[in-house]
Amino acid sequence: MTPFGWVELALLVSRTQLPGLAPIPESERAALVALYRSAGGENWKNHDGWLGERGTECGWHGVTCVPANLSGSNPSATVIELDLMDNGLKGTLPPELDALSSLQNLRLYGSELSGSLPSGIREKWESGRLSVQGYAALAGVSEITLQYRTAAYCHDFEATLRADGAIVLLSERCKGEPRAKWQGSKGLGVSCERQTGWTDRFGDAFGRLAWFLEKQDFHGLNGQYSITITHGGFMTTSVVRRGERKTVEDYAEAGPMSLWLIEAAIQGVIRDAEWELNSRTPGTCRWIEFAGVY
């Protein structure tokens, strides 16, 4: 490989057609054209170069290519990345995208897409061979909230995650040892800590959660699960999908294993978040009161 390496070469090919480099395969061009037509390309914020003549595809906005075979006498380029973040995509992703066999990154943040990933693209993503960012747009998931409330002070928290990567975490804190709420808060120094930050936006932790909700059939779960014990905690998961909220309350971990896995996955994303602001105010937190739950 030449000294400037693969990254520089990819950037070069993405801007111009290298001398002597054959166009991308016809099937890849057809995939790009199908995407343009299926996702409203004529109304994109930037569609520079799109639908240009044969051989210009690697210069289309958001398209990055590399030569497929550097040692061959007539190498052809191949598409390795589509970066169409915040570009006004609306519609669906066409099945022809499966023809982009060398695709490594598909960035769709800020899109208003519907439907699903083409089967081949989805299989590559799930196997780890492709990075898809912005999957939540396809799934229609815009917000995920996890809330834990107990009968004791200073254990409760509430986290709200949004599709743009933003996260807000409220946590009840005490200066003294936590005790049951019916014993009163006098002397505990109760306060509400508010943290704001970001989930792994460019690794798309939120999109992976949206995918996991589908896999575990969150929207097929009952609204409430409980067992007959006292002093258990309420773990409530609430998801906004296509403008409608689905809330599931889980008392004392009475729900099915799929719900436990969902709760654990969300908590994992919360733990890995990057926090930017932190403040505390005296008194208990003001929690979201989900309709029909509390």
Side-chain angles (χ1 to χ4, degrees):
M1 188 63 211
T2 56
F4 57 79
W6 276 106
V7 174
E8 289 80 2
L9 180 59
L11 291 174
L12 178 61
V13 179
S14 71
R15 288 166 172 76
T16 185
Q17 191 69 39
L18 289 177
L21 186 68
I24 63 173
E26 183 59 45
S27 60
E28 292 194 10
R29 176 184 170 88
L32 296 177
V33 172
L35 172 63
Y36 184 90
R37 291 172 176 165
S38 183
E42 65 277 5
N43 295 314
W44 291 354
K45 295 177 182 177
N46 187 339
H47 53 191
D48 290 351
W50 281 77
L51 304 191
E53 64 183 23
R54 186 92 166 88
T56 66
E57 297 86 1
C58 295
W60 297 0
H61 172 73
V63 178
T64 298
C65 307
V66 294
N69 181 8
L70 290 175
S71 62
S73 59
N74 188 32
S76 62
T78 186
V79 176
I80 63 166
E81 179 177 284
L82 288 178
D83 186 352
L84 297 170
M85 291 173 56
D86 301 317
N87 203 34
L89 275 68
K90 294 182 180 180
T92 60
L93 295 179
E96 288 88 346
L97 281 186
D98 284 345
L100 301 179
S101 58
S102 299
L103 193 65
Q104 298 174 15
N105 293 289
L106 177 61
R107 298 190 171 101
L108 301 170
Y109 276 117
S111 302
E112 296 181 32
L113 297 165
S114 59
S116 60
L117 289 173
S119 59
I121 294 289
R122 188 181 185 97
E123 190 278 328
K124 287 183 67 176
W125 179 42
E126 292 178 350
S127 68
R129 293 178 289 125
L130 170 67
S131 172
V132 176
Q133 295 154 7
Y135 176 76
L138 281 173
V141 177
S142 58
E143 181 181 293
I144 300 172
T145 298
L146 186 69
Q147 185 186 88
Y148 183 64
R149 296 175 66 176
T150 67
Y153 282 108
C154 310
H155 289 295
D156 300 358
F157 72 86
E158 175 184 282
T160 298
L161 300 79
R162 296 189 173 87
D164 64 357
I167 179 171
V168 177
L169 175 64
L170 300 180
S171 305
E172 202 171 67
R173 303 296 186 185
C174 294
K175 293 182 179 178
E177 289 295 323
R179 60 172 176 260
K181 291 179 179 176
W182 59 80
Q183 294 176 307
S185 62
K186 187 176 180 180
L188 279 182
V190 178
S191 63
C192 182
E193 181 179 74
R194 186 178 191 271
Q195 295 174 270
T196 59
W198 300 90
T199 60
D200 179 20
R201 186 174 191 268
F202 293 101
D204 200 20
F206 189 93
R208 289 170 183 257
L209 284 180
W211 168 85
F212 195 64
L213 290 168
E214 290 178 355
K215 283 290 187 179
Q216 301 301 324
D217 191 24
F218 174 79
H219 283 79
L221 295 173
N222 296 334
Q224 291 183 321
Y225 297 93
S226 64
I227 55 177
T228 309
I229 65 170
T230 59
H231 311 322
F234 289 88
M235 186 75 80
T236 302
T237 307
S238 187
V239 177
V240 177
R241 185 182 68 169
R242 300 188 179 92
E244 297 185 0
R245 184 180 291 277
K246 163 83 173 183
T247 299
V248 178
E249 178 191 86
D250 184 15
Y251 177 69
E253 298 185 344
M257 186 63 73
S258 60
L259 181 56
W260 182 86
L261 290 170
I262 289 169
E263 295 164 352
I266 298 172
Q267 290 179 80
V269 172
I270 296 169
R271 283 192 297 269
D272 291 340
E274 297 182 3
W275 304 106
E276 296 180 347
L277 295 176
N278 189 322
S279 62
R280 288 194 184 190
T281 55
T284 58
C285 297
R286 297 184 61 181
W287 311 112
I288 296 174
E289 300 292 333
F290 297 108
V293 177
Y294 296 108

